[in-house]
Amino acid sequence: MNYKRIKNRFKASDVFFGIFILALLIPQTRKPIQVAVNKVKVLVWSPSAKAAEDQAQLPPFDYHVKTLDGQLKTIEIGKGKPTFISYWATWCAPCLAELPSIEKLYAEYGEQINFVLLTNEQLETLEAFLKKKPYALPIFTTRMAPPTLLLENSIPTNYLIDQDGKIIIKETGAADWNSESVRRTIDTLLE
């Protein structure tokens, strides 16, 4: 009798797994499932500061960007104000999963820290995305190649850089940027 019950459970789980795989194959359901899976990761993964000896030093530089309304702007990095840089895209499920936590962090620290969310996407794509998801984040397109220390092939890749240009946190993949540990790190930078 127990063998039969166990056998039936495996059949039910096999059916569920099959439905899940099928849903991933269907383009209309793939992205929402990927975002949901990454949101679970965001709930449990919080970035932490690197050990002092592992913190790379960026030379101070000006990041040349373009705002969504077409204005050219220069953002100073490592010149007296901490900076949060995020490389992301609207088609990236891990990026979308972590955006709400970045927006909460921005709501709290946006006046004290440079927030720079960078993408290489077309303006029309960004405008369509923001109509559906009206984030209040400072989103820019890049007008220059990043310094070598900020080059990464994966998105999302996020950096918390102190006021002198040290990379305090570097995180690739979805994470909870509004966590207590990130907030403590930022509060320490602002002291």
Side-chain angles (χ1 to χ4, degrees):
M1 185 76 166
N2 285 341
Y3 173 73
K4 203 176 214 178
R5 188 179 301 152
I6 291 171
K7 187 176 174 185
N8 287 340
R9 271 194 217 143
F10 282 123
K11 285 182 181 179
S13 66
D14 290 345
V15 169
F16 176 75
F17 183 71
I19 291 170
F20 180 76
I21 295 299
L22 184 61
L24 284 174
L25 294 175
I26 300 169
Q28 294 84 355
T29 59
R30 183 180 311 129
K31 191 171 181 179
I33 291 171
Q34 290 172 331
V35 171
V37 168
N38 279 287
K39 279 188 179 181
V40 170
K41 181 187 175 202
V42 166
L43 292 174
V44 297
W45 182 251
S46 174
S48 57
K50 294 178 171 219
E53 62 271 8
D54 295 330
Q55 295 174 359
Q57 178 69 50
L58 280 168
F61 72 100
D62 293 334
Y63 220 133
H64 301 285
V65 299
K66 186 188 285 189
T67 65
L68 296 183
D69 61 2
Q71 295 180 22
L72 303 180
K73 186 171 182 175
T74 300
I75 301 171
E76 295 180 337
I77 310 295
K79 296 182 178 181
K81 191 172 185 180
T83 302
F84 178 88
I85 297 177
S86 179
Y87 296 98
W88 73 287
T90 61
W91 50 263
C92 165
C95 300
L96 301 181
E98 72 177 8
L99 278 178
S101 72
I102 294 172
E103 184 166 51
K104 288 177 185 170
L105 196 67
Y106 174 69
E108 182 73 25
Y109 294 100
E111 297 296 319
Q112 301 162 350
I113 295 176
N114 291 323
F115 277 79
V116 185
L117 281 77
L118 294 164
T119 183
N120 288 323
E121 293 181 277
Q122 297 296 317
L123 182 59
E124 300 79 32
T125 303
L126 293 167
E127 288 172 344
F129 172 77
L130 291 171
K131 276 187 180 178
K132 293 178 188 172
K133 307 262 187 197
Y135 289 107
L137 294 164
I139 297 171
F140 305 99
T141 58
T142 58
R143 293 184 32 236
M144 62 180 272
T148 305
L149 287 174
L150 299 182
L151 282 176
E152 183 64 45
N153 291 328
S154 300
I155 57 171
T157 298
N158 300 298
Y159 299 88
L160 180 61
I161 301 167
D162 77 3
Q163 52 272 25
D164 299 317
K166 276 195 180 171
I167 299 174
I168 305 300
I169 298 175
K170 175 188 176 186
E171 188 66 45
T172 302
D176 179 8
W177 286 97
N178 192 40
S179 68
E180 276 301 312
S181 65
V182 171
R183 287 172 165 273
R184 276 194 305 271
T185 300
I186 290 172
D187 290 340
T188 301
L189 291 178
L190 296 174
E191 290 177 348

